[in-house]
Amino acid sequence: MNARISPDLVSEELIALTRRLGLPERDLVILAEGNTSEQIDDTTVVVKASGSSMADATAETFVTVDQEELLRVLRDPATTQDDLTAALTTQSGVRASIESLVHVAARAFGSKKYVAHTHPTDVVALLASVEAATSFALPVYSEEYMVLGKPLFVPYAQPGIELGRVFLELLEGYVAEHGETPSLVLLGNHGIIAISDTASGAEGISLMAVKSARVRLGARAAGGVATLDAETTAAYFDRPDFRARRAGLAGA
């Protein structure tokens, strides 16, 4: 595996996105939580290094990895966590995020420029609740549906090769059912993954997930959550104005 530090491949857009998502006032991550990545070409992805702060990201805090090689690691049932760690470690000892498999799995069924993984407190509160699997099953307002689309829920799995394999399996089923990659993935007892063709889209999806969690928590406090049913939203994605606005806001 040719994991390496390649600052020349790290775009200003990725650095800026990573720093914005790492702003303390946004409460998306703290300490060295979270990671971002950008697809450079069909086989190359740059992903944040393990143990580095998103708020302080520079070109040197990203590791270049081979998408196809990591997918082979992910799909090989004989591969161990130690094998993955070795595959993510550069010659200088810097290691790509242990959640790099999430980033390559998100692109297994189609190219996506940006992937952002964060742990927003309000979203994790819902994803750690007894209603985690259904808390985002239906939208609660139209703007949420426009930006987040139909999220994929992934039950808790240990970060690393276990999470990567569970995520890939469920993502394959989602794509088979919906014909596209989700904009938002909800990781039970863990956090979120925003997937977009634009940096602004990945940021918008992340922030809308936070707002949506807060709306649900507020509605619960006010007596209960009233969702928009499937019949109400059935025609949304067929409307040209809805599709155009979704493309602008979510990069989808």
Side-chain angles (χ1 to χ4, degrees):
M1 182 68 64
N2 192 25
R4 61 197 187 279
I5 304 295
S6 307
D8 57 308
L9 294 182
V10 182
S11 70
E12 290 298 325
E13 290 85 356
L14 178 61
I15 295 171
L17 169 65
T18 306
R19 288 178 175 176
R20 291 196 302 271
L21 294 178
L23 290 171
E25 60 267 27
R26 286 184 159 178
D27 192 30
L28 297 170
V29 294
I30 62 170
L31 303 175
E33 284 184 338
N35 32 78
T36 54
S37 68
E38 180 177 0
Q39 186 166 14
I40 305 303
D41 55 38
D42 289 343
T43 62
T44 308
V45 172
V46 292
V47 61
K48 188 182 79 72
S50 179
S52 60
S53 165
M54 290 180 70
D56 300 323
T58 68
E60 285 72 29
T61 55
F62 289 86
V63 177
T64 301
V65 297
D66 186 293
Q67 167 89 3
E68 293 305 315
E69 286 292 328
L70 283 181
L71 279 176
R72 280 192 282 273
V73 167
L74 184 57
R75 288 170 168 151
D76 183 353
T79 303
T80 67
Q81 184 63 43
D82 288 341
D83 294 330
L84 174 62
T85 298
L88 296 176
T89 305
T90 68
Q91 288 186 340
S92 62
V94 177
R95 190 177 73 240
S97 169
I98 198 63
E99 291 163 336
S100 293
L101 288 187
V102 165
H103 292 262
V104 300
R107 299 174 169 102
F109 304 100
S111 175
K112 287 293 180 180
K113 188 75 169 173
Y114 295 96
V115 175
H117 170 49
T118 57
H119 304 163
T121 301
D122 290 306
V123 184
V124 175
L126 287 174
L127 297 179
S129 75
V130 296
E131 299 175 11
T134 58
S135 57
F136 284 80
L138 291 172
V140 295
Y141 57 102
S142 57
E143 196 79 358
E144 170 196 34
Y145 195 43
M146 183 180 298
V147 175
L148 302 185
K150 302 168 185 175
L152 168 65
F153 176 77
V154 176
Y156 181 81
Q158 189 176 93
I161 201 159
E162 181 182 337
L163 174 57
R165 285 172 174 160
V166 172
F167 177 33
L168 183 65
E169 179 182 357
L170 294 177
L171 182 61
E172 184 175 17
Y174 181 101
V175 173
E177 179 180 358
H178 299 290
E180 63 181 5
T181 301
S183 295
L184 177 67
V185 179
L186 303 161
L187 304 177
N189 297 84
H190 187 158
I192 64 173
I193 303 165
I195 305 170
S196 179
D197 285 324
T198 66
S200 61
E203 181 178 11
I205 292 162
S206 302
L207 296 178
M208 186 62 78
V210 174
K211 178 177 179 179
S212 296
R214 290 175 179 168
V215 168
R216 284 166 170 77
L217 293 169
R220 285 183 177 187
V225 180
T227 61
L228 300 177
D229 60 39
E231 182 178 353
T232 301
T233 60
Y236 278 10
F237 284 103
D238 294 326
R239 285 174 43 177
D241 62 325
F242 192 95
R243 289 201 306 269
R245 185 161 169 77
R246 175 163 163 73
L249 293 174

